[in-house]
Amino acid sequence: MSRKPTKYVFVTGGVVSSIGKGLASASMGALLEARGLRVTIMKLDPYINVDPGTMSPYQHGEVFVTDDGAEADLDLGHYERFTNARMTRQNNFTTGRIYEAVISKERRGEYLGATVQVIPHITDEIKARVRESTDGVDVAIIEIGGTVGDIESLPFLEAVRQLKVEAGPENALSIHVTLVPYIDTAGELKTKPTQHSVKQMREIGIQPDILLCRTKTPLSRATKDKIALFSNVRVEAVISAIDVSCIYELPLHFHAEGVDELICERLNIWSRSPDLAAWHRIVDRFKKPARGTVKIGVVGKYVHLRDAYKSLHESLVHGALANECKVELEYIDSEQVERDGAETLLANLDALLVPGGFGDRGTEGKIQAIGYARVNKMPFFGICLGMQLAVVEFARGVAGLENANSAEFDRDTAYPVIDLMPEQRTVRNKGASMRLGGFPCTLKPGSVAAEAYGTTEVSERHRHRYEFANEFRDTLEQAGLVLSGTSPDKKLVEMVELPDHPYFVGCQFHPEFKSKPTAPHPLFSRFVKAALERQASRARGDLRKATEAQPNMH
């Protein structure tokens, strides 16, 4: 008996960039999984970079890391948070990767002397990768990055057109995410941008089957009728994709609009009614927190673009859900801390988080903030660079290693407590050359980390070149730093913490890449819990004023 072929849902976007294709794809994946279907999701990115690993967060937002070490688009984070699909390097590829593969084949003579062209060679490579990466599931959702009309995305859209024809009408459909803006001066929604976007899709041979119309207010029946008439789409397939206060409400909203029913009908899928109880619980907890709100500061260098910390933001929301509270995040530029001082900016916070990053800009501000949290018993969580700078601050402020630093920022420091990993010293190419992907970590029994995880053996995802310098292990441990997590062979320090502190934890890895609303990461849950406890203590007046204690910053 032959296995049923994978059915495809192709998701494109029009009118403007950042229209929400990633969240729409993830939400549809969640709905189809809730119907008992096996789902995977892919992201095809039109830019020429081989991967986003060398791109500035201001260019492309966060770089998401998979267990197998791929540096990928941030939308893969949405896919993992909303579904049970585990992303790998096969779930995201770019124009650069496609051309790299085709040119390599041409150099090896695999095209037998043919003139290598966009059609069929580039499009064939795209189709082959889509088929290979989606084999064995019921439904594959394929998101095409960019906006219809961009010259960069044309080869991907042509490949989608061919795949849709080759798969057949009951095995593939096209969903187009578009914008229906509200014009204040006219006092009405305008459908013309959507009409033109669909027109561009049809010009390249793709007729959308479903339209997800981003809008501030639900579309009236008359507006849906107009869009359906000019877009050649059934009126019931014109969906109001309204703005929501909680992104985890999207699967519920799409279900109410009948999106999953439309997909199953068009693809001739027989499935059960979706079980959405978990999503209802998440949204209820988000909107009606039983334990109030905690205020957490995030001190970083990319705070002016929130997408740079997308997974981090969502993981803190998950931690709040686990504690039945709401989290209010205050993003603080670390350079502002350098100018105005830590007390001015941090005194009103319940907890402090310092995330990862690269480069020396703003590092002293982060160190000042960490010192303030250490001395004033403010719950602190340092991730990647945040952990490294916590080690630097402890070395300076407690261990007496004056002007200790990371070799990344000061190659001449007498105390390089953070240094390049030995295997990184000869690396010249920047792309995909860091310590990347999932690695095991052994936790110290009785530590805060082990208590949070509930186990002493974990696996977490990494993205860094620098590590805790082993030559300073004894010195810092004797001064009171607890090395609570190491690699199984004890060669690499993975976690640090302080005793006699409500919560002072740093980790070299990125726990935010493995947190879900349905399964909050334990380190974030424990961190938010500590923030709640501090808030309660402050309300009782148990804490001294922050001005009474200032760290030694030498």
Side-chain angles (χ1 to χ4, degrees), residues 27-39:
S27 299
M28 289 184 286
L31 283 175
L32 294 175
E33 275 195 348
R35 286 175 168 265
L37 300 169
R38 293 168 300 164
V39 176

Side-chain angles (χ1 to χ4, degrees), residues 391 394-395 398-399 401 417 468-483 490 493:
V391 172
F394 183 87
V398 180
L401 303 182
V417 292
F468 187 112
N470 286 330
E471 63 184 286
F472 294 97
R473 272 196 190 191
D474 291 344
T475 301
L476 296 180
E477 280 191 292
Q478 288 168 11
L481 188 67
V482 176
L483 310 185
K490 309 293 184 186
V493 174

Side-chain angles (χ1 to χ4, degrees), residues 355-434:
F358 296 90
D360 61 354
R361 180 170 62 83
T363 53
E364 290 301 321
K366 294 175 187 176
I367 291 170
Q368 287 180 39
I370 293 166
Y372 181 88
R374 175 180 61 79
V375 170
N376 291 283
K377 306 295 185 183
M378 176 184 288
F380 166 76
F381 191 13
I383 295 174
C384 197
L385 178 62
M387 184 205 93
Q388 295 175 0
L389 295 181
V391 172
V392 170
E393 194 285 325
F394 183 87
R396 294 179 185 180
V398 180
L401 303 182
E402 189 173 350
N403 296 320
N405 214 327
S406 167
E408 181 179 3
F409 313 127
D410 183 1
R411 294 183 181 180
D412 299 322
T413 178
Y415 305 109
V417 292
I418 303 296
D419 206 351
L420 264 179
M421 301 168 66
E423 60 268 30
Q424 288 287 328
R425 298 185 189 279
T426 58
V427 170
R428 293 293 176 264
N429 289 337
K430 297 298 183 186
S433 59
M434 290 184 275

Side-chain angles (χ1 to χ4, degrees), residues 172-186:
L173 65 81
S174 167
I175 296 179
H176 192 54
V177 187
T178 183
L179 181 69
V180 181
Y182 181 82
I183 307 300
D184 287 328
T185 52

